[in-house]
Amino acid sequence: DAGVTQSPTHLIKTRGQQVTLRCSPKSGHDTVSWYQQALGQGPQFIFQYYEEEERQRGNFPDRFSGHQFPNYSSELNVNALLLGDSALYLCASSWTGQDYEQYFGPGTRLTVT
Amino acid sequence: AQSVTQLDSQVPVFEEAPVELRCNYSSSVSVYLFWYVQYPNQGLQLLLKYLSGSTLVKGINGFEAEFNKSQTSFHLRKPSVHISDTAEYFCAVRRGGSYIPTFGRGTSLIVHP
């Protein structure tokens, strides 16, 4: 049983560009959450998707957007990249009946130059 | 908004010694509490959680934590650590009714032989 997978593993972008990160949830899970983890910090909640809609959002600007597909996989899009967007982006999946039990993927390391 | 304070950024300890990693959170009517572990270049793994009931919670890898409502603390303990426990540990709190967890900044546990 595959766990949560994320792609790509690493990414280097230039300031002002746009990026798309992808996440496939653990089998049986229907909810996907995205987090940003800056170096030396704890993860910060970006948003959560359930039934293809954004269910709740953290304190992130509209440059951060997402999507959930019918197969429960998800994308995180970031527009107009800033240097401060450099971070590890983590995806976590859960089943809505036990949404406190989140399983995390290995993350995508984004570097903005 | 919830806040989580992990009082120690780094905890060095010798192998087979006991360890305690401290976590305090801002008060709320009802909270769910979590401890996660993050090994280098990996995502987060849930160690244990407190949802309700017994204040002493046992998790994986021999870890346990005690919920203290009066002191708003949720300290993580292990009676005897191994080299393989070297990792970053994050405390997280989620207010009842919210999908948004707040993470602490993490404590780096370094186990020396």
Side-chain angles (χ1 to χ4, degrees):
Chain A
D1 173 29
V4 179
T5 59
Q6 293 186 242
S7 64
T9 307
H10 296 87
L11 204 51
I12 300 174
K13 289 287 188 178
T14 303
R15 195 170 40 183
Q17 286 188 316
Q18 177 262 345
V19 68
T20 297
L21 310 182
R22 295 176 176 82
C23 172
S24 290
K26 183 177 168 62
S27 177
H29 287 181
D30 57 6
T31 303
V32 173
S33 302
W34 286 92
Y35 296 84
Q36 181 193 67
Q37 186 179 17
L39 204 60
Q41 304 289 323
Q44 279 197 288
F45 178 85
I46 302 175
F47 41 53
Q48 185 180 89
Y49 276 83
Y50 172 65
E51 291 189 338
E52 302 180 48
E53 291 196 359
E54 184 182 289
R55 180 153 71 175
Q56 198 156 16
R57 188 179 184 91
N59 189 25
F60 278 80
D62 291 344
R63 297 187 297 109
F64 290 78
S65 63
H67 190 76
Q68 185 179 36
F69 299 94
N71 67 352
Y72 307 120
S73 67
S74 178
E75 288 182 350
L76 164 66
N77 301 292
V78 187
N79 294 322
L81 284 167
L82 304 173
L83 296 179
D85 295 332
S86 295
L88 180 68
Y89 287 85
L90 295 164
C91 168
S93 74
S94 56
W95 173 58
T96 195
Q98 277 189 323
D99 66 340
Y100 47 80
E101 189 97 28
Q102 292 192 332
Y103 289 77
F104 282 79
T108 294
R109 173 73 63 188
L110 173 64
T111 302
V112 182
T113 62
Chain B
Q2 284 286 345
S3 68
V4 178
T5 303
Q6 291 187 241
L7 296 160
D8 305 296
S9 59
Q10 208 173 74
V11 173
V13 65
F14 287 106
E15 194 174 20
E16 297 184 9
V19 71
E20 178 180 82
L21 306 183
R22 297 180 292 169
C23 173
N24 287 86
Y25 62 95
S26 58
S27 180
S28 182
V29 176
S30 75
V31 291
Y32 302 139
L33 296 157
F34 308 85
W35 275 100
Y36 290 86
V37 62
Q38 186 176 33
Y39 299 103
N41 301 314
Q42 292 187 29
L44 278 68
Q45 181 183 9
L46 181 65
L47 276 177
L48 48 79
K49 60 186 181 289
Y50 171 80
L51 305 179
S52 64
S54 172
T55 57
L56 183 62
V57 179
K58 293 192 182 296
I60 62 171
N61 301 341
F63 285 94
E64 63 181 33
E66 184 149 21
F67 170 55
N68 187 321
K69 188 173 182 179
S70 62
Q71 297 189 0
T72 60
S73 68
F74 191 56
H75 301 333
L76 181 71
R77 302 185 185 101
K78 185 169 183 177
S80 175
V81 294
H82 302 126
I83 295 285
S84 59
D85 292 324
T86 295
E88 195 78 17
Y89 291 78
F90 293 95
C91 179
V93 60
R94 209 180 89 176
R95 182 172 49 84
S98 170
Y99 297 106
I100 301 179
T102 300
F103 284 82
R105 294 183 63 167
T107 296
S108 179
L109 176 63
I110 303 168
V111 182
H112 297 288

